[in-house]
Each structure stands twice: as structure tokens, then as C-alpha cells.
């Protein structure tokens, strides 16, 4: 009788492990297949490629156009994340410290972008910013604004979750009693407590923004070519070459994720 609960526990553990193993296999298999295809010289009707080579990666990283597009993407993403940090972090603090009832309206505001498809938004932005005293269509500035709206929900919700776990008003009142100003108390007390959530949100947003295509292609295109626009333009050249682009993007994102986990410690 005593062995029966232990047997049931072992069966449950094996079931859970099999579910996790199946899920990981389903997720990893396409990545490994893409990696193998990017390293293959030829891969026809056989199960495995005929030969392996790094020529596609050497050709990719020696391509000045690819390096320029990759640099443009990084520049746009980093600029957007800096803007998001400067604007959204103080905004979230002000909402939770001074106007906590506005949080429900902020949640509605940040979800409004999901109600309009990116293609429809791009058409509206083309008509809105194509003319005027400062035409922005075809410039990276319009992409910074679009990317800001994409990153806004992720960053604000991460900050809101962190601030909800803090007693912001009591912490600020205690800091004021000790002689600290509101900006100093925010930088010394509130910001360190939401740092992990902010870092996670920034790197998650970075992954989304690096993969954005619709706004970049419709609003700017080749006038300020990004990584995904470059991938779309060379899609008809070679499947091995495009697989090398995809794997380079994936490995870079994986490195950024690892770096974020290290920094958060």
C-alpha cells in the first residue's frame, strides 16, 4: 500500500517530463532544421544534406548591404527603446503615485493599437505624414513613432506590474520625510525596484521590433532599409542564404536574451 502513492508519483513525473520533452522538441526542431539548411551546400531528396559549409554565412557577413540594413535595424530599435524609457517610465510612476485611477484608462489606451491591423495603420500614416511642413514618410523618424506604439503595451504593463507590488505612496512619503526630493526618491528607491521588470520588457520589445516588417516596408522601404526589408528583397536568391539570415537574427536575439538575464542578476 505504501508503494502505490510512490508509483503514482513516478508516473505523474514521467508524464510531465514527456510533455515538456515533446514541447521542447516541437519548438527546437524547426530551428535545428533551419540551421542545418543554412549550413548545407546542397540538400535535395535525401534525408540529410550532401555537404556542409559556412560559405553562406561568410557571404552574408561580407555583404555591405546586409551590414547596413542590420545597423539600421539596431539604430531604430535602440533609439525607440531609449525614447520608451524616457517617456513611459516617468509616466507609469506619475500614474501610480499621483493619479492611480488613471491606470484603467492607460490599459485601454495601450490596447487600442491591437484593434487596428498594421496594414491599415500604415495606409493611414501614409496619408497623414506624406505631406505637410515636415514630410516624415520615407524617413526613420516615422518608424520610431510606430515602434514606440508597438513597445508601449509591453513596457507599460511590466512597469505597472512592478509598481503594483510596491507601496509607492508610503515609500515616497518616507523618502520625503528623510529630506529626499521626488526625483531623487524615484531614482534611488522606485527605479531599482522595477529595474528587472523594465529590463525584461525592453529586451522583449527589442525582439519584437527587430522582427517588425509591415511598417518598415510600407512607410520607408528601401529608403532606410531594415533587416526584414532586406530579407524580403533577397527572398528569391537562395534558400540557404535566407536561412543564414534567419539564423543570424535568431542567434543575435538569443545572445541578447542571455545578456539580459545576466544583467538582471
Amino acid at each position: 500500500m505504501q508503494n502505490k502513492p510512490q508509483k503514482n508519483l513516478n508516473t505523474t513525473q514521467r508524464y510531465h517530463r514527456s510533455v515538456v520533452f515533446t514541447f521542447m522538441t516541437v519548438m527546437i526542431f524547426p530551428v535545428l532544421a533551419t540551421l542545418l539548411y543554412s549550413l548545407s551546400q546542397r540538400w535535395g531528396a535525401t534525408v540529410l544534406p550532401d555537404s556542409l559549409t559556412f560559405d553562406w554565412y561568410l557571404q552574408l557577413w561580407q555583404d555591405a548591404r546586409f551590414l547596413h540594413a542590420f545597423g539600421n535595424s539596431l539604430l531604430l530599435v535602440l533609439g525607440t527603446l531609449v525614447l520608451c524609457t524616457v517617456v513611459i517610465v516617468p509616466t507609469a510612476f506619475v500614474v501610480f503615485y499621483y493619479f492611480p485611477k488613471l491606470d484603467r484608462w492607460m490599459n485601454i489606451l495601450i490596447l487600442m493599437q491591437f484593434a487596428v491591423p498594421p496594414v491599415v495603420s500604415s495606409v493611414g500614416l501614409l496619408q497623414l505624414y506624406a505631406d505637410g511642413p515636415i514630410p516624415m514618410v520615407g524617413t526613420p523618424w516615422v518608424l520610431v513613432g510606430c515602434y514606440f506604439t508597438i513597445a508601449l503595451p509591453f513596457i507599460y504593463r511590466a512597469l505597472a506590474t512592478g509598481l503594483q507590488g510596491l507601496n509607492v505612496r508610503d515609500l515616497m512619503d518616507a523618502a520625503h520625510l528623510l529630506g529626499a526630493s521626488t526625483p531623487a526618491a524615484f531614482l534611488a528607491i522606485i527605479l531599482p525596484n522595477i529595474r528587472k521588470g523594465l529590463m525584461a520588457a525592453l529586451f522583449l520589445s527589442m525582439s519584437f521590433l527587430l522582427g517588425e516588417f509591415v511598417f518598415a516596408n510600407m512607410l520607408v522601404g528601401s529608403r532606410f532599409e531594415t533587416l526584414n526589408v532586406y530579407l524580403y528583397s533577397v527572398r528569391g536568391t537562395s534558400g540557404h542564404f535566407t536561412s543564414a539570415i534567419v539564423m543570424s537574427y535568431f542567434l543575435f536575439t538569443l545572445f541578447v536574451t542571455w545578456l539580459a538575464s545576466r544583467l538582471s542578476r
Side-chain angles (χ1 to χ4, degrees), residues 5-257:
Q6 184 67 28
K7 183 178 180 180
N8 293 335
L9 180 61
N10 294 334
T11 302
T12 302
Q13 289 178 348
R14 286 196 296 268
Y15 171 74
H16 291 166
R17 290 173 182 172
S18 64
V19 170
V20 173
F21 178 77
T22 302
F23 175 77
M24 292 181 63
T25 302
V26 171
M27 297 297 293
I28 293 176
F29 182 77
V31 178
L32 294 179
T34 305
L35 176 62
L36 187 60
Y37 193 72
S38 67
L39 294 173
S40 62
Q41 187 71 37
R42 292 181 305 275
W43 196 351
T46 57
V47 177
L48 294 176
D50 298 334
S51 59
L52 299 179
T53 180
F54 284 99
D55 291 344
W56 302 113
Y57 286 93
L58 294 176
Q59 179 182 345
L60 174 66
W61 287 97
Q62 292 175 356
D63 186 1
R65 183 183 170 193
F66 165 76
L67 296 176
H68 186 67
F70 189 64
N72 287 343
S73 295
L74 287 180
L75 184 63
L76 281 172
V77 171
L78 293 177
T80 302
L81 295 181
V82 170
L83 178 63
C84 290
T85 303
V86 172
V87 175
I88 301 175
V89 173
T91 300
F93 169 72
V94 169
V95 168
F96 277 85
Y97 182 47
Y98 293 104
F99 311 104
K101 293 183 179 180
L102 287 181
D103 181 52
R104 65 179 69 179
W105 299 105
M106 288 295 298
N107 291 327
I108 297 175
L109 177 65
I110 64 177
L111 293 177
M112 287 180 60
Q113 63 150 328
F114 296 107
V116 182
V119 176
V120 178
S121 300
S122 300
V123 174
L125 291 171
L126 282 173
Q127 297 179 353
L128 186 62
Y129 293 108
D131 298 322
I134 306 178
M136 297 182 64
V137 173
T139 67
W141 304 111
V142 69
L143 287 183
V144 172
C146 295
Y147 287 0
F148 178 88
T149 61
I150 295 174
L152 173 62
F154 304 103
I155 298 178
Y156 180 81
R157 282 313 314 162
L159 295 175
T161 302
L163 290 171
Q164 285 173 352
L166 300 175
N167 197 333
V168 177
R169 183 166 294 278
D170 287 348
L171 289 174
M172 294 298 296
D173 289 343
H176 290 157
L177 289 175
L178 294 174
S181 63
T182 298
F186 168 73
L187 294 175
I189 299 174
I190 304 300
L191 191 59
N193 282 282
I194 60 175
R195 177 177 56 87
K196 288 186 178 181
L198 176 61
M199 292 288 293
L202 288 176
F203 283 101
L204 177 64
S205 301
M206 185 176 186
S207 301
F208 273 95
L209 296 180
L210 282 175
E212 201 284 321
F213 171 72
V214 176
F215 287 120
N217 187 52
M218 294 190 66
L219 296 178
V220 179
S222 60
R223 285 168 288 185
F224 192 82
E225 193 173 46
T226 60
L227 181 60
N228 286 279
V229 175
Y230 171 80
L231 176 61
Y232 180 76
S233 65
V234 300
R235 69 191 186 282
T237 55
S238 171
H240 303 281
F241 185 73
T242 55
S243 297
I245 300 175
V246 172
M247 287 308 305
S248 296
Y249 163 73
F250 175 79
L251 293 175
F252 177 78
T253 305
L254 187 65
F255 169 75
V256 169
T257 304

